[in-house]
Amino acid sequence: MSKAPGSDEQTSVPHAADRHDLIRVHGARENNLKDVSVEIPKRRLTVFTGVSGSGKSSLVFDTVAAESKRLINETYSSFVQGFMPTLARPEVDVLEGLTTAIIVDQQRLGADPRSTVGTATDANAMLRILFSRLGEPRIGPPSAYSFNVPSVRASGAITVEKGAKKAVKATFERTGGMCTRCEGRGTVSDIDLTQLYDDSKSLDEGALTVPGYTTGGWNHRLYTESGLVDPAKPIRSYTKKELDAFLHHEPTRMKIAGINMTYEGLIPRIQKSFLAKDKEGMQPHIRAFVERAVTFTTCPECDGTRLAEGARASKIGRTSIADACAMQISDLAAWVRGLDEPSVAPLLTALQLTLDSFVEIGLGYLSLDRPAGTLSGGEAQRVKMIRHLGSSLTDVTYVFDEPTVGLHPHDIRRMNDLLLQLRDKGNTVLVVEHKPEAIAIADHVVDLGPGAGTAGGTICFEGTVEDLRASGTVTGRHLDDRASLKDAVREPAGVLEIRGASAHNLRDVDVDVPLGVLTVVTGVAGSGKSSLVHGSLPAGADVISVDQSPIRGSRRSNPATYTGLLDPIRKAFAKANGVKPALFSANSEGACPTCNGAGVLYTDLGMMAGTASTCEDCEGKRFQASVLEHLLGGRDISEVLAMSVTEAEEFFGSGEAATPAARRILGRLADVGLGYLTLGQPLTTLSGGERQRLKLATHMGEKGGIYVLDEPTTGLHLADVEQLLGLLDRLVDSGKSVIVVEHHQAVMAHADWIIDLGPGAGHDGGRIVFEGTPAALVAARSTLTGEHLAEYVGA
């Protein structure tokens, strides 16, 4: 019905542009998805649930978000696209109604030593402008307050061809805020010479003990054939001049062994090759060498602030920019609120909003000078969120990967409010989540499953949360699960004493951690849990610490190589076929020569993200065709690596392929809830929770008496939490002590002993607010944790 001219009657026919209110996915087949079709409402909050490995990420990240990113890249000019990765179209028949996707994931922020919480957001840039306007004494532009900008001074002559004038004297000067001693890192390194060489030996006798400097190698020949030192003389017998040439010589081009090479002293060479890199990204043996040979101490010149003297001396009131960055963000927000300067009023408002966002999102306990690489996956995701909360964009698709990771139930409520805030601005919010409190706020739920890996990849349910409860799916059945408090708790076999713990925000904490039981350390995010458990346990206390940090290893590493499972498998294949075990390694003799056993060909695009394409010769199988002719139990090595842990456990459990050593390792992987992982899946594709459970499975064969776990429920479906509790019980019953840093109420309820830190975060935390049994905590309800746990168990 159309509206007559001049009539006040509203039309009931919607405008054509308003009909696009769904994202339609038809025939999605990425990874384990089985021809999935789904309609996702726009401008609503949709939560994707399902057991780990059911296909949630394949649908949300690898299909919807990946296609949105690919289409956006195609809008750039051909010249710009030449510098961008070429993204393959996802395996899907139809994708309609897509909008720009912004992915807020749990990838750690760059671990560059000069990257901080302040530089990763706009907060630092705004503070620098503020100090350049109001700081006394005034020292220069915003760059003068930046620890990433060195001061530069140059002078010389430039030629100007203008009339009779020829040469003009010119000087160039830029004031930066970088400390000259530590170059903006805040720490200086001191090298222990005894770890570099054995001075009782000569170079010819192999005096050098630096990795990569073996006798006869180029690094070694650089010194033995330079002519500056005597390679046959023990290093302790060198003259002062020889020792200086060996250790500190400036880089100089010279002919060595008939080749033009740059000779420089051993110390500057090590500083460039080892110390300029992020320690966390090094190979294990190099990292061990750096930890042995190098001590990092706070820079004596800038006292760890990273800033030059001028930047430290310029103050607003009594506060320098170094003091502001060292403040807890909640305190910094209060300080900024107290500044009243009309000339920078818009800047103060913007800075205030950014700092308040930190507090609102539950990160008020951080400081802006906190190194970005030290943030957990959950903290990194919330820092990325801050960039979007104040954004003017609407009708955008925001994609979140378990935003509640690392959050106390108290903080989850605040996170829920922020997700709803993004939705209410007219955005589509897609969340992959397991926590019932986060699922409860969904406008629409998509449940994938029914199982993991090949047993998943289908849509089990679509609809409202209420309908999900009544649906009978695995998620629906477990949504209202509540672990009950134990009737009787175990008695401790002893205690581990922690005295005077003061790491980070801990306030001289004394606590006895009971041994031989399941102890849960809890408290709001930033209350000091990790500082207490990881920073205060006595050294050499027989402790196996299992956290969610990235597993060190290349993209060739997979669960089979990491756990040592590949060794018995290779031996079984070799024995069955009468050939060498090395043939069945994709990193050795059996590797496909085209892709060198990687299965994919990587194209490095310099400063852009590289691309990977499946190797056409081996079709991604990684091995030479002749190797795949050797079978064990009717399967070749590539088929075995494509099996899930559950399939492989059955395969190696009996019959011709029975291999007890392999089955033991596979049993441990299944115990920790990784039955759906394929043996050959690259480790770089695992989530934080999967990495931790993989490490736990590997350590379960060790003899350590105390296991420390950091939020092991991360990424676990409600149904899998029950299995994890059974595993923790088995560890305790076998005589181990288990200490778990955890927020999940099911784990708290199942504990024998709870240590609750708080009462708040940052300097409002760092104290023990409760020690005792879960039943006593619920009865007392004296802390935030107690209140939430009582509500959870229905007390």
Side-chain angles (χ1 to χ4, degrees):
M1 187 178 104
S2 61
K3 190 167 74 168
S7 160
D8 289 330
E9 194 183 335
Q10 290 293 313
T11 178
S12 60
V13 179
H15 192 287
D18 295 330
R19 291 181 190 147
H20 305 283
D21 53 3
L22 291 171
I23 297 173
R24 292 184 180 82
V25 182
H26 290 287
R29 295 177 297 280
E30 274 296 313
N31 301 328
N32 67 332
L33 295 179
K34 294 171 182 166
D35 220 23
V36 161
S37 295
V38 64
E39 293 187 340
I40 304 164
K42 283 189 186 175
R43 294 175 286 281
R44 296 291 180 272
L45 193 151
T46 302
V47 173
F48 293 80
T49 62
V51 296
S52 304
S54 59
K56 302 182 297 296
S57 295
S58 299
L59 177 59
V60 179
F61 290 94
D62 302 341
T63 305
V64 176
E67 179 65 353
S68 172
K69 200 190 287 185
R70 187 184 75 84
L71 292 173
I72 288 167
N73 284 6
E74 285 187 357
T75 65
Y76 297 115
S77 68
S78 303
F79 174 75
V80 173
Q81 283 187 49
F83 293 99
M84 303 181 88
T86 309
L87 301 171
R89 189 178 187 281
E91 280 281 311
V92 59
D93 294 333
V94 180
L95 260 178
E96 292 176 342
L98 289 179
T99 70
T100 302
I102 294 175
I103 299 168
V104 189
D105 60 17
Q106 290 184 39
Q107 288 296 319
R108 302 278 173 129
L109 292 165
D112 184 284
R114 293 199 193 93
S115 179
T116 64
V117 169
T119 61
T121 58
D122 291 333
N124 213 284
M126 289 191 275
L127 264 184
R128 293 200 299 268
I129 298 170
L130 185 68
F131 273 87
S132 71
R133 300 285 190 278
L134 304 182
E136 291 292 338
R138 191 174 181 285
I139 59 165
S143 63
Y145 296 88
S146 170
F147 55 76
N148 283 328
V149 179
S151 291
V152 177
R153 287 173 184 81
S155 61
I158 58 171
T159 304
V160 181
E161 293 188 8
K162 186 180 176 186
K165 290 182 182 175
K166 283 287 179 189
V168 178
K169 195 80 171 165
T171 59
F172 170 75
E173 196 167 306
R174 179 183 70 197
T175 305
M178 181 186 283
C179 167
T180 51
R181 174 79 187 273
C182 65
E183 297 184 343
R185 287 188 172 89
T187 57
V188 287
S189 53
D190 200 12
I191 295 177
D192 179 359
L193 297 181
T194 61
Q195 298 295 336
L196 306 188
Y197 55 81
D198 178 351
D199 69 354
S200 65
K201 293 180 180 175
S202 68
L203 290 174
D204 284 345
E205 291 169 333
L208 291 176
T209 54
V210 181
Y213 284 69
T214 46
T215 308
W218 275 112
N219 284 330
H220 188 262
R221 291 175 69 183
L222 189 70
Y223 296 99
T224 56
E225 301 183 26
S226 65
L228 296 174
V229 294
D230 182 352
K233 189 160 77 170
I235 293 175
R236 65 168 56 149
S237 305
Y238 281 4
T239 62
K240 193 177 177 193
K241 187 179 176 184
E242 279 180 312
L243 196 60
D244 191 62
F246 174 52
L247 292 178
H248 304 289
H249 203 284
E250 292 289 315
T252 311
R253 293 293 286 175
M254 59 170 68
K255 235 185 185 63
I256 296 174
I259 298 168
N260 281 326
M261 294 178 74
T262 300
Y263 176 91
E264 66 182 323
L266 185 62
I267 287 177
R269 196 171 166 79
I270 282 172
Q271 282 172 329
K272 282 177 190 167
S273 58
F274 294 149
L275 304 191
K277 294 175 184 168
D278 169 37
K279 196 167 71 172
E280 292 305 304
M282 294 175 178
Q283 291 172 286
H285 70 289
I286 303 230
R287 192 164 76 253
F289 162 73
V290 170
E291 283 166 355
R292 268 198 327 271
V294 184
T295 54
F296 292 93
T297 53
T298 302
C299 173
E301 198 160 301
C302 67
D303 199 22
T305 62
R306 307 158 179 255
L307 290 160
E309 188 182 352
R312 299 196 308 275
S314 177
K315 298 185 177 183
I316 299 174
R318 294 181 179 176
T319 305
S320 69
I321 192 167
D323 300 331
C325 289
M327 280 183 200
Q328 186 167 305
I329 289 173
S330 53
D331 295 341
L332 180 59
W335 178 76
V336 171
R337 202 173 279 116
L339 296 176
D340 183 20
E341 181 55 57
S343 65
V344 288
L347 175 66
L348 287 172
T349 306
L351 180 57
Q352 187 69 59
L353 276 171
T354 301
L355 296 174
D356 286 344
S357 296
F358 273 102
V359 178
E360 211 176 311
I361 213 161
L363 293 178
Y365 59 89
L366 296 178
S367 60
L368 294 183
D369 63 2
R370 168 91 173 256
T374 64
L375 298 180
S376 69
E379 285 171 333
Q381 183 171 220
R382 298 200 290 284
V383 166
K384 290 175 194 171
M385 257 187 102
I386 285 163
R387 297 174 192 164
H388 306 299
L389 288 173
S391 169
S392 312
L393 292 171
T394 62
D395 243 334
V396 167
T397 300
Y398 284 99
V399 186
F400 290 94
D401 184 12
E402 287 192 60
T404 59
V405 163
L407 288 184
H408 188 273
H410 171 70
D411 299 312
I412 290 176
R413 288 184 182 171
R414 291 202 286 193
M415 174 59 74
N416 284 349
D417 291 342
L418 292 167
L419 293 173
L420 293 171
Q421 192 181 315
L422 280 174
R423 178 203 66 187
D424 294 345
K425 280 174 68 176
N427 297 306
T428 306
V429 182
L430 309 182
V431 183
V432 172
E433 193 47 89
H434 292 292
K435 294 264 175 74
E437 304 99 309
I439 297 169
I441 63 162
D443 300 309
H444 189 72
V445 179
V446 177
D447 189 25
L448 284 101
T454 52
T458 60
I459 302 284
C460 298
F461 169 84
E462 276 185 86
T464 64
V465 178
E466 285 310 309
D467 291 342
L468 174 66
R469 282 197 170 92
S471 68
T473 67
V474 178
T475 307
R477 288 200 308 274
H478 289 274
L479 195 59
D480 293 318
D481 275 5
R482 295 292 180 264
S484 53
L485 297 171
K486 288 199 267 193
D487 294 331
V489 295
R490 301 177 184 91
E491 286 299 316
V495 293
L496 186 66
E497 292 185 0
I498 294 176
R499 295 289 178 265
S502 54
H504 302 306
N505 65 330
L506 294 177
R507 305 284 185 88
D508 211 21
V509 168
D510 294 339
V511 65
D512 291 337
V513 181
L515 296 176
V517 297
L518 174 59
T519 303
V520 169
V521 179
T522 188
V524 295
S527 59
K529 304 179 297 297
S530 295
S531 302
L532 179 70
V533 173
H534 295 300
S536 310
L537 282 180
D542 195 19
V543 177
I544 290 174
S545 184
V546 188
D547 61 15
Q548 294 184 33
S549 60
I551 291 170
R552 304 295 159 210
S554 70
R555 48 198 172 198
R556 290 169 170 274
S557 305
N558 53 48
T561 58
Y562 182 77
T563 56
L565 171 65
L566 206 54
D567 290 336
I569 291 177
R570 282 200 301 252
K571 284 173 187 164
F573 264 98
K575 189 176 175 186
N577 293 282
V579 292
K580 290 192 296 187
L583 275 179
F584 303 99
S585 167
N587 296 327
S588 187
E589 291 181 32
C592 161
T594 309
C595 62
N596 291 326
V600 289
L601 296 170
Y602 291 98
T603 309
D604 189 9
L605 296 171
M607 73 275 191
M608 298 300 296
T611 62
S613 53
T614 305
C615 172
E616 291 180 5
D617 283 14
C618 66
E619 296 175 342
K621 291 180 178 174
R622 305 175 63 189
F623 295 90
Q624 294 173 25
S626 57
V627 174
L628 301 181
E629 290 169 12
H630 300 302
L631 304 179
L632 175 69
R635 302 285 187 99
D636 65 43
I637 183 71
S638 73
E639 289 172 325
V640 167
L641 289 174
M643 286 179 180
S644 68
V645 167
T646 311
E647 288 174 82
E649 194 178 7
E650 199 177 310
F651 178 73
F652 289 109
S654 58
E656 186 196 334
T659 311
R663 199 179 181 290
R664 269 197 303 277
I665 297 170
L666 289 161
R668 290 203 288 266
L669 286 168
D671 273 350
V672 297
L674 293 178
Y676 61 90
L677 273 193
T678 55
L679 305 187
Q681 183 176 338
L683 294 186
T684 48
T685 63
L686 301 188
S687 68
E690 286 169 336
R691 284 194 291 259
Q692 183 181 118
R693 295 197 292 284
L694 184 60
K695 289 180 193 173
L696 176 59
T698 309
H699 288 308
M700 275 167 66
E702 294 179 11
K703 295 211 161 39
I706 302 171
Y707 281 77
V708 177
L709 307 180
D710 192 355
E711 293 186 53
T713 59
T714 298
L716 277 188
H717 186 266
L718 299 158
D720 297 324
V721 172
E722 211 172 303
Q723 186 183 356
L724 178 76
L725 293 175
L727 171 69
L728 297 178
D729 278 342
R730 287 201 298 282
L731 279 171
V732 174
D733 294 340
S734 69
K736 313 283 187 193
S737 302
V738 180
I739 303 168
V740 184
V741 174
E742 189 53 88
H743 294 294
H744 202 296
Q745 290 110 314
V747 183
M748 292 184 210
H750 200 72
D752 298 307
W753 193 258
I754 286 185
I755 296 170
D756 192 13
L757 281 104
H763 59 49
D764 296 327
R767 300 183 184 87
I768 303 286
V769 291
F770 177 84
E771 294 176 75
T773 62
L777 177 62
V778 166
R781 295 190 192 212
S782 56
T783 69
L784 278 171
T785 307
E787 285 171 25
H788 284 280
L789 187 58
E791 194 181 312
Y792 175 83
V793 297

